Amino acid sequence: MLPAESDPLGRIMDGALAARQGRVIWIGADRELEKVVELDGDQLDAAGACVMPGLVDAHTHPVFAGTRADEFLARVSGASYRTQQSDERGIASTVRATRDADAGTLLELTQSRANRFLANGTTTIEAKTGYGLDLEHEAKSFAVLRGLAGRSPLRIVPTFLGAHVVPPGVDRAAYLRTLIDEMLPAFERRAEFCDAWCDEPAFTAAETRAILSRAKALGYRLRVHAAQLAPGEGPQIAAELEASSADHLEFATPAQVDALAKAGTVAVLCPGANFTTRGQRPPIDAMRRAELAMAIASDLNPGSSNAESLPLAMSLACVAWGMTATEVLLGATVHAARSLHLEGLAGCLRVGSFADCIVLDVESPEAIPYYLGVNRVLQTVAGGALWHLS
């Protein structure tokens, strides 16, 4: 349940755990449970199934309206993701649909996505804004995330992504001034992190440095969409500013990977988006050599990865990139939690951790990626309580 030298997954055979008030208070061999813990509450018999920590998804965009199925179909026929990010298409189309939706509609849509996360074994998500892109509509997205926290046991870590793209019809310099001088100060108490997309369709290296430096000065922790579509300075900016995560990283260089490892930044890899945009393989071998922590994320979003399933992302990382089952399991638990500053609380089961766990119909944890696109989660426990789809 925690990595150990003898077993990187730290498994316990024929194990049991006890929880109180949403935290684990004991974990060990099943035969010892009744000797050390008074069983005075609800009990869940996993009946010999595999039990593991709830999954942690460190990169999601759950607050949006509208669909971009037409873009997916166009890419299947040969269009590139980059060319779709222009005029009123791509992210701009989602911004328009999200602005047009009222908060109640957005909350219902986002709660449906939260239910799918939980059904697929995810109990903690990093949740980005970024489809409002002005004060009014970014505030609406944060209100939706607050509302969701009151209606779902899914643990939500909010991230401000005002630096997603420059919204259509807005002067670039004016938007940067608004973002840095007004939006960042306005949302510093609502978001744990600030993120920025440093790539050609979005923001330049100089713009990204200015945005994230201001965010860091205001007290935000940092995340960076970096080197997804082309080589660039995004990964080194993440390292320089000691960002908590650098995400995507398909075009990161070995030197940038080394810098990220030295900075203690976690690489958050997004195989779903890479798969649908036909991107190049991230430099997994360089990351291994540098001992860079690699998290695996769903990157739930309407444009390139419309899926709440971390097990599917794990399968894609194994099949398409050659990652091992152990790497993706750690990537969807302890490394993802580390990128969210929840190390020792989420993505693991130990005394004092969140009582978040899932029961799976699999032969072993390593078999999860084997069931490609098949949900093997039998039950989800979030905060010590069994989750039921309402």
Side-chain angles (χ1 to χ4, degrees), residues 143-177:
V144 168
L145 291 175
R146 271 200 316 275
L148 179 62
R151 296 171 62 165
S152 171
L154 183 69
R155 186 167 290 100
I156 300 160
V157 181
T159 291
F160 173 52
L161 183 56
H164 202 178
V165 294
V166 176
V170 177
D171 177 76
R172 188 176 195 87
Y175 184 70
L176 281 167
R177 286 194 299 272

Side-chain angles (χ1 to χ4, degrees), residues 336-381:
R338 176 181 162 189
S339 85
L340 298 176
H341 297 266
L342 293 175
E343 194 168 13
L345 293 173
C348 65
L349 290 170
R350 69 171 193 176
V351 173
S353 74
F354 298 137
D356 298 344
C357 60
I358 51 178
V359 182
L360 303 108
D361 180 19
V362 292
E363 301 86 340
S364 69
E366 290 93 339
I368 293 172
Y370 163 63
Y371 290 97
L372 187 65
V374 179
N375 186 4
R376 307 295 289 191
V377 176
L378 300 173
Q379 293 174 308
T380 299
V381 175

